[in-house]
Amino acid sequence: MLKHPILLPIALMLLLALLTFWINQNVQEEALKMSKLNRQAPDYMLYNFVSTRTDAAGNTKYVLAAAKMRHFPVNDYTELQRPRFTQFGLDKPYTQIYGQRGQVSANGKLVEFSKQVKVIRQASVTKPETEMQTEQLWMEPDTEVAHTDQPVVIRQKPATVITGTGMRFDNRADTMQLFNRVHVHYERPPAVNRSASPVQATDTERANER
């Protein structure tokens, strides 16, 4: 027993103070952990996501779509599943980029495509269709420049195959650069037989006779 009765309530008060401090500390730590977890988790997501960008005249510049989009507040970046990007241009063929995964930077200036990335540039009057494959590609939609430091395989119809490591593609300037280990396989298309058939020759001769 305590010799001084006043010490008992003082001891109880100290015990309650310590208990309250311990509870507050644990609650704050749990709240901080939950806050970090919440910031690392997506704050919203969309399915069948489509975003369209137009120029001042209302013409479509590019379309970015994905099967699923998730936004993460921790770094303000956007994650994409099966992204599809289409770049349009006046009086020139459009370019499409596909991938299994994608990510958009916080300011929207850079789009990263990864895993089974495919770039298809449609045929024009002067150039055949071109297809490029790689495992990672960064695209700057506003400047229309795409680049990678990974191995690439480029196929151009009818039978040209180009391989290399590291590539820069400028869609606006219509140029492509390969930097290392470049190999080109080119098959000359078969010559067209321009000799006229006997029937055609006869028709021509008849026309000349007239």
Side-chain angles (χ1 to χ4, degrees), residues 24-161:
N24 286 336
Q25 286 293 108
N26 280 271
V27 170
Q28 290 178 7
E29 289 179 2
E30 288 298 321
L32 184 60
K33 289 179 181 178
M34 291 299 297
S35 176
K36 289 181 178 180
L37 287 174
N38 289 336
R39 285 185 58 81
Q40 291 175 358
D43 55 353
Y44 65 87
M45 62 182 66
L46 297 173
Y47 293 89
N48 298 319
F49 163 79
V50 179
S51 175
T52 303
R53 180 73 178 269
T54 59
D55 59 19
N59 301 308
T60 301
K61 293 183 63 177
Y62 61 81
V63 176
L64 177 63
K68 182 179 178 181
M69 180 274 279
R70 300 195 300 171
H71 178 263
F72 292 83
V74 62
N75 290 321
D76 193 26
Y77 74 92
T78 302
E79 183 182 88
L80 305 174
Q81 288 186 9
R82 298 199 302 276
R84 306 179 304 279
F85 178 85
T86 306
Q87 182 91 54
F88 297 93
L90 296 176
D91 302 324
K92 64 180 181 181
Y94 61 88
T95 300
Q96 295 174 303
I97 305 176
Y98 303 89
Q100 293 300 309
R101 295 195 299 266
Q103 185 172 306
V104 184
S105 63
N107 58 10
K109 299 295 185 181
L110 188 65
V111 183
E112 178 187 353
F113 299 83
S114 59
K115 194 176 180 181
Q116 300 175 10
V117 181
K118 181 183 293 186
V119 181
I120 299 176
R121 181 178 173 84
Q122 300 297 318
S124 65
V125 177
T126 58
K127 291 185 178 181
E129 180 182 283
T130 302
E131 178 183 304
M132 189 199 76
Q133 292 178 309
T134 186
E135 283 300 306
Q136 193 170 31
L137 184 75
W138 289 270
M139 177 70 192
E140 300 171 11
D142 292 336
T143 62
E144 300 185 31
V145 172
H147 56 89
T148 181
D149 56 3
Q150 301 294 307
V152 297
V153 178
I154 301 170
R155 294 180 174 87
Q156 191 174 70
K157 293 184 177 181
T160 299
V161 179

